[in-house]
Amino acid sequence: MVTVGARARSSGLALALCALLCTASALQYVTCGSVVKLLNTVHNVRLHSHDVKYGSGSGQQSVTGVEVSDDSNSYWTVRGKPGQVCQRGIPIKCGQSIRLTHVNTGRNLHSHHFVSPLSGNQEVSAFGENGEGDDLDVWIVQCSGTSWERDDDVRFKHAGTEVFLTITGEQYGHPIRGQREVHGMFSPDINNYWTVMEGVFIKPSAEPFKHDEL
């Protein structure tokens, strides 16, 4: 015979186990408001920006790929597209339109019909002020499941021009010697896969979960 006390203990254990599992499950996703580094999985460099302008093309803030893992200029905040509520801690769905805002400069990952300086593909820049730019800051997350999982290889397709965020290995000289060109290409291939690395991941409770440095 199961007593009331035993049933209560069993129920409490089940609730505690559920809470642990729910938390673990929530942490497997990239969520709105998370601050992340993105690694190009072929070239092993992180998406990066800095207050250095392109000397050609748009003249906007340059976006590059860097090999070092501990550079604070490689952090990006995951946000909703302009005019769309993106509730903190809610997983980003595959196919969702987002913005990636550079933490240190407040400019958004951006593309437009300018030619990139090294490869002659489409320029990718950082644009706007204090997180506000325009509709060319919007990227579509392409992943294989329902939501963007932290260990997924994903692509980012530019909503306005339909190019994919890509690195093909071209390297800059002075003043950003060794950094890789980031550009847009119309063809999906192995050079436009990205995965999440270090960062702070926001849980549905809006409490941050710290991963590696930051």
Side-chain angles (χ1 to χ4, degrees), residues 92-96 141-149 152:
I92 300 295
K93 294 185 180 301
C94 296
Q96 183 171 336
V141 180
Q142 292 192 342
C143 45
S144 57
T146 301
S147 297
W148 179 6
E149 296 193 23
D152 279 347

Side-chain angles (χ1 to χ4, degrees), residues 79-116:
R79 304 170 63 212
K81 67 180 184 179
Q84 180 187 66
V85 175
C86 191
Q87 186 176 341
R88 282 171 55 87
I90 298 301
I92 300 295
K93 294 185 180 301
C94 296
Q96 183 171 336
S97 296
I98 64 166
R99 285 175 292 178
L100 292 168
T101 302
H102 188 242
V103 170
N104 283 353
T105 63
R107 297 189 171 100
N108 298 318
L109 189 69
H110 180 93
S111 193
H112 40 211
H113 294 297
F114 286 90
V115 176
S116 63

Side-chain angles (χ1 to χ4, degrees), residues 65-202:
V66 298
E67 293 182 350
V68 294
S69 62
D70 59 352
D71 192 321
S72 66
N73 272 318
S74 300
Y75 283 113
W76 301 82
T77 303
V78 181
R79 304 170 63 212
K81 67 180 184 179
Q84 180 187 66
V85 175
C86 191
Q87 186 176 341
R88 282 171 55 87
I90 298 301
I92 300 295
K93 294 185 180 301
C94 296
Q96 183 171 336
S97 296
I98 64 166
R99 285 175 292 178
L100 292 168
T101 302
H102 188 242
V103 170
N104 283 353
T105 63
R107 297 189 171 100
N108 298 318
L109 189 69
H110 180 93
S111 193
H112 40 211
H113 294 297
F114 286 90
V115 176
S116 63
L118 301 183
S119 65
N121 291 304
Q122 184 164 301
E123 183 188 276
V124 171
S125 65
F127 174 75
E129 295 294 335
N130 300 316
E132 298 307 319
D134 62 24
D135 289 342
L136 292 177
D137 301 339
V138 178
W139 299 80
I140 300 166
V141 180
Q142 292 192 342
C143 45
S144 57
T146 301
S147 297
W148 179 6
E149 296 193 23
R150 284 173 45 189
D151 59 356
D152 279 347
D153 289 336
V154 305
R155 289 189 175 105
F156 300 100
K157 186 174 184 179
H158 189 241
T161 65
E162 299 189 340
V163 296
F164 293 92
L165 186 69
T166 304
I167 292 179
T168 49
E170 294 83 2
Q171 294 190 21
Y172 287 101
H174 182 77
I176 51 175
R177 185 175 304 278
Q179 295 187 23
R180 310 295 176 88
E181 182 187 76
V182 174
H183 51 253
M185 294 186 67
F186 286 101
S187 301
D189 66 21
I190 60 172
N191 294 295
N192 36 55
Y193 275 120
W194 301 82
T195 191
V196 169
M197 298 301 289
E198 305 83 3
V200 171
F201 298 85
I202 305 299

